[in-house]
Amino acid sequence: MQTPAFTSLEQRLSRAATQRLSNAMLQQQAGGVAFACTHDVTLASSSPFADIATQPTHSVSVWLPDGQSALAEGSEVILTSARWLQGCRCRITTAVETDAAGWAHFDVLPLV
């Protein structure tokens, strides 16, 4: 069980990290609430499976305070980043793992 003082500091730190480190925005639906997130692309050529895995891997980390989201594997989201300025519909392809601080981590596949 976390103490209220620690929880408050943890939320403040997560909010600051989101504001400073985010490079993309994530929405569950067009016109819906947008969450700042980090978007990282790993090219298949850097994978040990480069001979069979030809698609880049798109990883997303997003802070969801108070569990404000119902993200799950198979859900569609809209990811807006430098790569997709107008946003791109993506499907979540891995389990959405949320840590104790409220950070969710998962991979997405662009639906282009």
Side-chain angles (χ1 to χ4, degrees):
M1 186 168 125
Q2 294 180 338
T3 62
F6 181 76
T7 301
S8 174
L9 289 173
E10 185 177 53
Q11 289 177 348
R12 204 167 113 200
L13 179 62
S14 291
R15 192 174 300 109
T18 299
Q19 291 172 353
R20 304 260 192 281
L21 302 176
S22 65
N23 62 356
M25 297 297 286
L26 183 80
Q27 293 176 290
Q28 288 184 284
Q29 59 189 6
V33 176
F35 296 98
C37 65
T38 59
H39 171 230
D40 186 40
V41 180
T42 305
L43 300 178
S45 61
S46 64
S47 165
F49 306 106
D51 56 335
I52 56 173
T54 58
Q55 293 290 323
T57 302
H58 297 270
S59 301
V60 175
S61 293
V62 60
W63 180 55
L64 303 167
D66 303 323
Q68 293 181 8
S69 174
L71 295 176
E73 185 175 358
S75 299
E76 282 190 26
V77 293
I78 300 169
L79 184 64
T80 304
S81 68
R83 179 172 279 211
W84 304 299
L85 295 176
Q86 300 302 316
C88 177
R89 285 198 153 311
C90 298
R91 181 172 313 280
I92 298 175
T93 59
T94 59
V96 178
E97 297 180 19
T98 306
D99 63 19
W103 284 92
H105 311 279
F106 50 90
D107 291 344
V108 298
L109 178 69
L111 301 175
V112 205

